[in-house]
């Protein structure tokens, strides 16, 4: 046995708590003691509170706003309206998607609960009194709710500000309510594939409007120092540096005088990427009053005004041979963006990365068209726990593959195995333009099928269906198979930017003389555990125990510029920046070690926590010792110190994938369901902390469960939002939430410094189709091809009724 | 608005304050007393992030006025560690079992579990799930929260904790 396996080495390695270790989270020490520091926990001397007057109408002209009564309310200091904001040119603001959005209603309102006026008062209660006393006169206008009617000739005109613009941020507009058309792929080749197809399917697959709804709502605290001309802005920001740049551009305060701080964030899930009217109004109010102003959204405001997600209506066609080999994919998406296009996609991608819609399959031809339209609904839509529009794409293709399997009379898993991109085809160029970095889909799918005894489940299902037909049971059994490929880690600066800011990310590491370190990041955790996992990467890279590494995020004064945390980009982009910065430190450390050990650099090798001379393991220098030397006795001619910064521009995205299987029983007479089993295999490449990965998968699956089985932001025909509180918006409790089984394979990313791909969003992306396919599979033998989500009890009951099983 | 005098005991400390009669207990605890561990997540008494222990019961402190807590004995997340700073078994269990992510629901979740384990010192998984159904978590999917409560139940009861296989 060589020296590599001695216990001493294992002990040294264990002491680091580096990559691969189930390290307990450092964040938990403060969170479990109530010592987190969230925005609403911050209290400044003289702090005021702001609250919004919101529109009760979905579409109306604002004919008058009278502040008189409000200003007489005790404690109310100011009422801001669009007219006031015009003075500082802030009545409108740019969205991240190239559109503009009203900060406060300018002449009309375009969705229910739109911000109309901002009341500033001494405390939250006085602000609430104030908003009740602002008198607003409205003149109702015809309401447009159905996106399929947006581009009709007689549709109500929503956006008067751009009614004459025939070109938008993403090209020509076909109608005043049209935002963009985005086409990708080879139309002729795809049409040809369909022309000679032996089998085709076509289905309208809708992914309903929902909401990320983190437990902490969106909030901000602005403090403008008139003497210094400096603005400090605390907020629930997933991307603090982007907020700083936007705040500087909008307020005209030079960027070095804008200090943005994102303290602890109580969940984000995409909700906290964008810039909202509340942030802008808090800033303006602080400038106007000269006092700090806090804005804290309530839950109803959160669900009805900031950042819905999805609302994609996907007409999907697949061409195939009769043996089940896919030959073409054609998708048309009608995308409902609400009143303003407030997506948080990279600027050049109006439908995000929806062109990952060919999924895990080797489609020789594909063509995609997305039409974005305006309606009288809240603006968005954000990437809710998914890379930009990737969950919509995964749902689309995974549902469509099941529809094809049904038409062919083939098993859903068999059809997938037949069409997977093979391991030897990577790097794989998809028909819609992506280069998939790595994958081994067949292995993952087979491992999943074996783990759940897939054949046994299908046999049980067949028996149960016969029993149902004989009238012996009123329960249907569904098996939902989902195999997803994600595209995360935006992204290469050649094609990814937000408002012109390239989507790199960054890390700065300082190793202190005693061998402890601080790492500062351009990302911002909202619960992902960055303080724990980033330290693990550094520990492995530079041999310093993770417990001696402090990870700091969210303060734009101290952190290097980065694009933040969303789209599973932290590990793929910032994780790479960490490794690159750490390697710069290691390279300098190697020069120092060579000098001290009096050998050539090339004679040294890295050994867990330091360098040793090749062939002479007893001659070594630990990183801890090197740190001291770096500051206090560096080699002649070398600068003292041991620190590095890296800005990482990824060469490609990463492509995590996974195989999920859901087993569900549905009672046809009540529509009630039981998730009997849910198995999730994820391949996120190199695994940094398996405990945190499993936690991310549990949480993402629970959100997927909520979305697929009931969570919806619905509107009535008047544009009243119907699900804007936790009374109506389905958030599963511990009782409804199923038990989760997790598993994994490891296919490292070949272009990432540590081979990691990102995982936080995979379970949401793969989970939704698994649940929906289970429901659809349960009903399929009764003649149904597709039932729209969400699959709540009532809709299940309706499906059963429609299929004639209620007698 | 005229103010009312409130006097109560929180985390073993006698406190008093002048509040408007409409001041919610959670705002009194957070804004007046500066105990910001308890959170607000929903406004409709659904999420349980504001859960505190009041006179031996779990209470959603957004659903009570501060004046209704006159004379009450309240324990919040800041008050469950031992006087010497040793963490409560639940605080330890939540960390050991990865029962939290963003940490926003955690204080309420721990305070509910704190009372649950006094009502039922050795709950089954189903009893834990039912027992914490008034507290919402958006991050964890509850599975590890259940384990965290089991861990704490075992520790408090002097039993060995055996983690269930996935």
């Amino acid at each position: 046995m060589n020296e590599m396996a001695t216990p001493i080495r294992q002990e040294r390695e264990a002491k680091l708590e580096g990559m691969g270790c189930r390290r307990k989270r450092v964040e938990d020490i403060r969170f479990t003691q109530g010592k987190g520091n969230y925005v609403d926990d911050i209290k400044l001397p003289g702090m005021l509170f702001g609250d919004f007057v919101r529109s009760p109408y979905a579409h109306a002209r604002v004919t008058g706003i009278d502040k008189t009564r409000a200003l007489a309310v005790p404690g109310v200091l100011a009422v801001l309206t669009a007219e006031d904001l015009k003075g500082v040119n802030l009545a409108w603001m740019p969205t991240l998607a190239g559109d503009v959005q009203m900060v406060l209603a300018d002449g009309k309102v375009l969705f229910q609960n739109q911000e109309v006026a901002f009341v500033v008062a001494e405390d939250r209660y006085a602000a609430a009194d104030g908003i009740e006393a602002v008198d607003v006169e409205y003149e109702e206008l015809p309401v447009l709710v159905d996106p399929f009617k947006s581009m009709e000739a007689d549709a109500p005109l929503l956006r008067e500000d751009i009614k004459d613009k025939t070109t938008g941020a993403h090209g020509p507009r076909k109608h005043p309510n049209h935002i963009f058309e985005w086409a990708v792929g080879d139309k002729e080749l795809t049409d040809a594939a369909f022309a000679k197809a032996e089998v085709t399917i076509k289905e309208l697959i809708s992914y309903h409007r929902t909401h990320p709804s983190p437990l902490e709502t969106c909030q901000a605290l602005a403090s403008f120092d008139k003497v210094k001309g400096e603005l400090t802005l605390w907020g629930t920001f997933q991307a603090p540096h982007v907020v700083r740049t936007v705040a500087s551009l909008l307020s005209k305060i030079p960027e070095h005088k804008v200090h943005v701080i994102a303290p602890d964030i109580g969940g984000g899930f995409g909700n906290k990427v964008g810039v909202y009217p509340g942030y802008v109004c808090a800033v303006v109010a602080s400038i106007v009053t000269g006092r700090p102003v806090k804005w804290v959204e309530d839950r109803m405001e959160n669900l009805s005004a900031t950042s819905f997600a999805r609302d994609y209506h996907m007409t999907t066609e697949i061409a195939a041979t009769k043996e089940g080999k896919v030959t073409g994919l054609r998708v048309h998406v009608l995308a409902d963006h609400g009143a303003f296009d407030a997506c948080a996609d990279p600027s050049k991608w109006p439908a995000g990365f929806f062109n990952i819609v060919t999924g895990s399959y080797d489609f020789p031809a594909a063509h995609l068209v997305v039409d974005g339209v305006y309606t009288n609904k809240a603006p968005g839509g954000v990437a809710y726990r998914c890379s930009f529009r990737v969950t919509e794409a995964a749902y689309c293709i995974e549902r469509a593959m099941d529809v094809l399997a049904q038409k062919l009379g083939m098993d859903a898993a068999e059809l997938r195995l037949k069409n997977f991109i093979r391991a030897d085809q990577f790097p794989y160029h998809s028909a819609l333009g992506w280069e998939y970095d790595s994958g081994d889909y067949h292995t993952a799918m087979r491992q999943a099928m074996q783990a759940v005894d897939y054949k046994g489940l299908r046999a049980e299902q067949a028996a149960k269906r016969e029993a149902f037909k004989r009238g012996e049971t009123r329960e249907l059994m569904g098996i939902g198979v989902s195999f997803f490929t994600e595209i995360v880690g935006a992204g290469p600066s050649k094609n990814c930017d937000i408002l012109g800011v390239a989507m790199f990310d960054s890390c700065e590491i300082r190793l202190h003389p005693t061998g402890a370190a601080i790492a500062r990041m351009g990302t911002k955790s909202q619960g992902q555990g960055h303080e724990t996992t980033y330290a693990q990467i550094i520990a492995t890279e530079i041999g310093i125990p993770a417990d001696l590494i402090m990870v700091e995020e969210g303060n734009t004064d101290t952190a290097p510029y980065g694009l933040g945390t969303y789209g599973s980009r932290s590990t793929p982009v910032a994780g790479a920046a960490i490794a690159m910065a750490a390697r710069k430190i290691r390279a300098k450390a190697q020069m120092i070690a060579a000098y001290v050990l009096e050998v050539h650099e090339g004679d040294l090798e890295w050994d867990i926590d330091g360098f040793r001379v090749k062939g002479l393991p007893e001659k070594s220098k630990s990183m801890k010792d090197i740190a001291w030397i770096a500051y206090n006795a560096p080699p002649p001619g070398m600068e003292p110190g041991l620190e590095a910064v890296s800005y990482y521009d990824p060469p490609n995205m990463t492509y995590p994938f996974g195989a999920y299987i859901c087993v569900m029983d549905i009672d046809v007479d009540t529509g009630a369901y039981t998730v009997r089993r849910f198995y999730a295999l994820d391949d996120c490449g190199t695994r940094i902390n398996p405990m945190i990965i499993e936690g991310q998968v549990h949480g993402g699956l629970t959100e997927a469960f909520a979305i697929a089985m009931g969570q919806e932001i619905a509107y009535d025909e008047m544009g009243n939002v119907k699900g804007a509180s936790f009374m109506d918006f389905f958030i599963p409790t511990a009782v409804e939430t199923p038990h989760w089984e997790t598993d994994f394979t490891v296919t490292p990313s070949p272009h990432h410094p540590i081979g990691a791909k990102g995982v936080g969003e995979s379970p949401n992306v793969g989970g939704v189709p698994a649940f929906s396919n289970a429901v659809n599979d349960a009903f399929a033998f009764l003649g149904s091809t597709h039932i729209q989500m969400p699959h709540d009890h009532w809709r299940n009951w309706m499906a059963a009724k429609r299929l004639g099983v209620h007698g | 608005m005229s103010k009312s005098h409130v006097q109560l005991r929180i985390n073993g400390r006698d406190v008093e304050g002048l509040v408007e009669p409409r001041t919610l207990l959670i705002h009194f605890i957070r804004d007046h007393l500066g105990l910001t561990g308890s959170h607000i997540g929903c406004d409709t008494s659904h999420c349980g992030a504001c859960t505190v222990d009041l006179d031996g019961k779990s209470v959603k402190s957004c659903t009570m006025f501060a004046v209704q807590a006159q004379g009450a004995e309240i324990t919040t997340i800041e008050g469950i560690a031992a006087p010497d700073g040793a963490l409560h078994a639940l605080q330890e269990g939540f960390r050991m079992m990865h029962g939290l992510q963003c940490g926003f629901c955690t204080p309420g979740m721990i305070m509910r579990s704190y009372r649950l384990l006094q009502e039922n010192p050795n709950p089954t998984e189903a009893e834990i799930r039912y027992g914490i159904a008034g507290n919402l978590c958006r991050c964890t999917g509850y599975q590890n929260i259940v384990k965290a409560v089991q861990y704490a139940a075992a520790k408090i009861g002097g039993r060995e904790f055996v983690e269930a296989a996935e």
Side-chain angles (χ1 to χ4, degrees):
Chain A
M1 187 186 272
N2 67 23
E3 186 252 357
M4 294 294 284
T6 61
I8 305 288
R9 286 181 55 81
Q10 282 165 0
E11 279 168 27
R12 278 163 62 205
E13 194 144 5
K15 201 177 145 206
L16 295 181
E17 291 198 283
M19 281 194 279
C21 162
R22 299 177 73 88
R23 183 177 185 229
K24 304 297 178 227
R25 301 195 335 158
V26 293
E27 295 88 341
D28 297 356
I29 295 165
R30 63 178 186 276
F31 291 152
T32 55
Q33 298 183 66
K35 297 294 181 194
N37 184 36
Y38 303 88
V39 175
D40 200 17
D41 299 343
I42 302 167
K43 198 171 173 180
L44 299 179
M47 186 170 77
L48 305 174
F49 288 81
D51 206 347
F52 280 113
V53 176
R54 293 178 180 274
S55 168
Y57 300 108
H59 196 196
R61 222 165 275 295
V62 177
T63 53
I65 302 178
D66 188 347
K67 308 175 183 180
T68 318
R69 282 201 310 125
L71 288 170
V73 169
V76 170
L77 272 77
V79 178
L80 299 178
T81 64
E83 290 309 311
D84 302 309
L85 295 182
K86 280 178 186 170
V88 283
N89 204 23
L90 279 175
W92 292 69
M93 64 178 183
T95 71
L96 298 181
D99 197 356
V100 289
Q101 175 178 350
M102 290 178 204
V103 175
L104 292 171
D106 184 13
K108 68 188 287 197
V109 289
L110 288 159
F111 64 95
Q112 189 181 53
N113 283 357
Q114 185 178 335
E115 300 82 0
V116 175
F118 191 69
V119 173
V120 186
E122 293 285 351
D123 64 58
R124 354 183 162 237
Y125 290 77
D129 291 340
I131 61 173
E132 295 298 324
V134 176
D135 295 305
V136 186
E137 280 175 39
Y138 298 96
E139 191 181 291
E140 285 183 75
L141 293 167
V143 176
L144 174 63
V145 172
D146 183 354
F148 286 91
K149 294 180 177 162
S150 283
M151 292 200 281
E152 286 180 356
D154 58 351
L157 169 67
L158 304 193
R159 293 288 300 276
E160 287 164 0
D161 59 306
I162 52 169
K163 67 178 192 297
D164 299 322
K165 280 181 78 173
T166 53
T167 304
H170 307 286
R173 298 168 70 222
K174 295 183 275 203
H175 184 281
N177 293 331
H178 185 232
I179 309 171
F180 63 84
E181 180 190 279
W182 188 56
V184 196
D186 190 326
K187 186 174 186 305
E188 270 176 44
L189 200 64
T190 307
D191 288 347
F194 275 87
K196 61 179 180 201
E198 291 167 343
V199 180
T200 60
I201 60 115
K202 182 174 184 176
E203 199 72 56
L204 170 62
I205 298 168
S206 283
Y207 196 140
H208 57 285
R209 182 176 276 236
T210 182
H211 195 282
S213 194
L215 205 53
E216 178 203 36
T217 57
C218 297
Q219 350 200 311
L221 169 58
S223 180
F224 183 69
D225 183 326
K226 280 191 172 163
V227 176
K228 292 184 186 163
E230 293 183 21
L231 171 70
T232 307
L233 180 62
W234 291 263
T236 46
F237 306 139
Q238 292 181 228
H241 282 98
V242 178
V243 170
R244 186 184 72 188
T245 300
V246 172
S248 171
L249 292 171
L250 290 182
S251 68
K252 309 282 190 277
I253 302 168
E255 197 165 359
H256 70 295
K257 291 193 170 185
V258 179
H259 315 288
V260 173
I261 300 166
D264 288 325
I265 297 184
F269 315 122
N271 196 174
K272 295 168 179 171
V273 176
V275 171
Y276 300 118
Y279 305 162
V280 177
C281 288
V283 170
V284 174
S286 180
I287 293 172
V288 170
T289 61
R291 289 168 65 177
V293 177
K294 187 187 270 186
W295 169 70
V296 174
E297 190 182 50
D298 69 26
R299 179 58 58 189
M300 196 171 283
E301 295 176 301
N302 175 253
L303 287 169
S304 62
T306 49
S307 301
F308 79 90
R310 327 300 191 223
D311 220 340
Y312 257 36
H313 307 276
M314 309 172 286
T315 304
T316 312
E317 297 170 82
I318 297 179
T321 66
K322 58 182 186 300
E323 289 78 29
K325 191 84 186 139
V326 296
T327 55
L329 175 70
R330 191 191 278 147
V331 182
H332 179 269
V333 180
L334 183 68
D336 183 344
H337 287 249
F340 308 97
D341 183 8
C343 286
D345 298 329
S347 300
K348 295 186 189 74
W349 303 87
F353 304 150
F354 188 85
N355 54 329
I356 194 74
V357 70
T358 51
S360 313
Y361 313 106
D362 187 13
F363 277 97
H367 188 244
L368 161 69
V369 176
V370 183
D371 277 301
V373 296
Y374 292 120
T375 57
N376 287 121
K377 301 181 197 167
V382 298
Y384 166 17
R385 202 166 186 152
C386 74
S387 195
F388 319 100
R389 302 293 187 185
V390 173
T391 185
E392 288 93 329
Y395 182 61
C396 176
I397 189 63
E398 286 307 292
R399 193 73 272 289
M401 287 300 275
D402 265 23
V403 175
L404 177 64
Q406 188 180 350
K407 181 147 187 184
L408 291 163
M410 261 180 96
D411 178 80
E414 268 321 301
L415 179 70
R416 285 170 171 79
L417 284 164
K418 191 166 202 146
N419 288 290
F420 278 150
I421 300 160
R422 298 185 315 274
D424 62 18
Q425 287 176 282
F426 291 93
Y428 172 82
H429 292 265
S430 78
L432 293 177
W434 295 115
E435 184 190 304
Y436 293 30
D437 60 349
S438 64
D440 184 353
Y441 300 164
H442 288 90
T443 299
M445 187 77 233
R446 290 194 178 111
Q447 187 170 320
M449 291 167 74
Q450 195 174 356
V452 300
D453 181 21
Y454 185 75
K455 271 175 89 170
L457 286 172
R458 285 294 180 198
E460 184 192 345
Q461 182 186 40
K464 212 163 169 182
R465 282 177 176 173
E466 290 310 311
F468 182 87
K469 286 178 195 164
R470 290 193 301 268
E472 293 163 13
T473 177
R474 296 295 285 163
E475 205 172 69
L476 305 178
M477 174 178 169
I479 303 167
V481 177
S482 158
F483 196 101
F484 64 94
T485 295
E486 268 205 287
I487 170 169
V488 306
S493 61
K494 62 179 184 284
N495 54 18
C496 290
D497 68 88
I498 286 184
L499 297 177
V501 183
M503 294 182 73
F504 57 83
D505 226 291
S506 60
C507 171
E508 179 199 278
I509 304 173
R510 259 182 226 172
L511 190 51
H512 303 316
T514 55
I518 182 166
R520 292 187 166 117
M521 309 291 309
T523 49
K524 177 62 208 171
S525 176
Q526 312 118 43
Q528 293 90 338
H530 290 172
E531 290 167 49
T532 303
T533 52
Y534 285 169
Q536 290 181 260
I537 300 174
I538 299 169
T540 295
E541 290 287 339
I542 65 171
I544 293 290
D547 276 347
L548 293 177
I549 301 162
M550 182 163 83
V551 173
E552 193 183 273
E553 296 180 300
N555 184 334
T556 56
D557 281 350
T558 54
Y561 203 106
L563 272 281
T565 294
Y566 42 87
S568 277
R569 63 188 301 281
S570 296
T571 296
V573 191
I578 293 169
M580 300 312 269
R583 286 171 195 182
K584 287 182 189 177
I585 286 179
R586 206 161 92 178
K588 184 171 177 182
Q590 188 164 0
M591 286 192 265
I592 295 168
Y595 173 77
V596 178
L597 294 167
E598 299 179 320
V599 294
H600 190 270
E601 270 178 62
D603 296 330
L604 292 175
E605 64 186 357
W606 178 252
D607 178 41
I608 301 174
D609 52 10
F611 288 97
R612 66 180 178 189
V613 178
K614 286 177 192 166
L616 291 170
E618 69 285 358
K619 269 194 90 175
S620 64
K621 264 292 159 224
S622 72
M623 204 64 179
K624 184 177 191 304
D625 292 343
I626 295 169
W628 184 263
I629 298 164
Y631 284 90
N632 303 308
M638 182 187 276
E639 272 184 37
L642 200 50
E643 62 181 69
V645 57
S646 170
Y647 285 79
Y648 188 78
D649 182 6
N652 191 4
M653 311 281 187
T654 61
Y655 297 76
F657 59 93
Y660 292 178
I661 296 172
C662 172
V663 187
M664 196 186 292
D665 298 303
I666 301 172
D667 183 317
V668 294
D669 295 317
T670 63
Y673 56 84
T674 310
V675 177
R676 194 198 305 176
R677 190 162 186 192
F678 199 104
Y679 167 92
L681 179 149
D682 275 279
D683 191 321
C684 58
T686 303
R687 291 157 62 85
I688 298 163
N689 183 329
M691 177 190 83
I692 285 184
I693 292 171
E694 289 159 15
Q696 289 288 309
V697 174
H698 291 173
L701 289 175
T702 306
E703 292 189 3
F705 168 67
I707 295 167
M709 307 310 289
Q711 187 179 88
E712 184 181 22
I713 298 288
Y715 289 80
D716 70 12
E717 70 281 2
M718 301 289 289
N720 297 304
V721 57
K722 296 198 287 183
S725 84
F726 282 171
M727 284 186 281
D728 307 299
F729 189 74
F730 176 48
I731 305 277
T733 73
V735 173
E736 295 92 37
T737 302
H739 179 81
W740 311 115
E741 296 169 63
T742 58
D743 198 356
F744 63 96
T745 55
V746 177
T747 312
S749 168
H751 63 78
H752 189 280
I754 58 171
K757 289 187 171 187
V759 74
E761 299 169 334
S762 296
N764 197 326
V765 171
V768 172
F771 286 110
S772 185
N773 280 348
V775 173
N776 276 286
D777 183 59
F779 286 106
F781 79 111
L782 298 170
S784 159
T785 56
H786 178 67
I787 302 163
Q788 301 289 9
M789 290 194 290
H791 305 292
D792 52 25
H793 296 181
W794 178 71
R795 286 182 175 89
N796 288 342
W797 184 85
M798 288 291 285
K801 182 178 161 70
R802 197 167 55 244
L803 294 167
V805 299
H806 289 165
Chain B
M1 197 173 284
S2 66
K3 297 203 170 175
S4 305
H5 182 248
V6 177
Q7 202 166 5
L8 49 81
R9 192 169 170 80
I10 191 160
N11 300 333
R13 190 164 59 93
D14 290 316
V15 296
E16 59 183 334
L18 282 176
V19 297
E20 290 182 18
R22 61 179 175 171
T23 301
L24 298 175
L25 179 58
I26 183 67
H27 284 139
F28 182 66
I29 291 172
R30 287 176 50 82
D31 296 349
H32 294 244
L33 303 179
L35 295 168
T36 55
S38 310
H39 297 139
I40 302 169
C42 74
D43 328 309
T44 49
S45 306
H46 286 80
C47 82
C50 63
T51 303
V52 300
D53 204 69
L54 187 140
D55 291 339
K57 282 185 181 152
S58 298
V59 162
K60 292 181 176 176
S61 60
C62 75
T63 314
M64 256 183 98
F65 295 116
V67 292
Q68 289 176 290
Q70 186 72 268
E73 171 105 30
I74 296 175
T75 307
T76 69
I77 186 69
E78 289 94 340
I80 61 165
D84 67 355
L87 294 186
H88 189 276
L90 279 160
Q91 293 173 309
E92 183 184 312
F94 270 69
R95 180 163 192 245
M96 295 306 287
M97 293 295 111
H98 190 29
L100 66 150
Q101 291 179 26
C102 81
F104 201 77
C105 79
T106 311
M109 199 64 90
I110 289 181
M111 289 317 297
R112 172 57 204 138
S113 307
Y114 171 82
R115 181 51 47 193
L116 172 67
L117 289 183
Q118 294 179 52
E119 294 159 353
N120 180 356
N122 192 15
T124 62
E125 171 171 352
E127 285 167 345
I128 294 171
R129 284 182 179 266
Y130 186 77
I132 62 170
N135 292 66
L136 298 176
C137 171
R138 288 291 279 154
C139 299
T140 65
Y142 304 104
Q143 198 152 313
N144 289 343
I145 291 180
V146 170
K147 286 185 188 172
V149 177
Q150 289 170 329
Y151 176 102
K155 185 166 181 187
I156 294 167
R159 297 183 301 274
E160 191 195 352
F161 171 64
V162 185
E163 190 179 341
E166 277 217 341

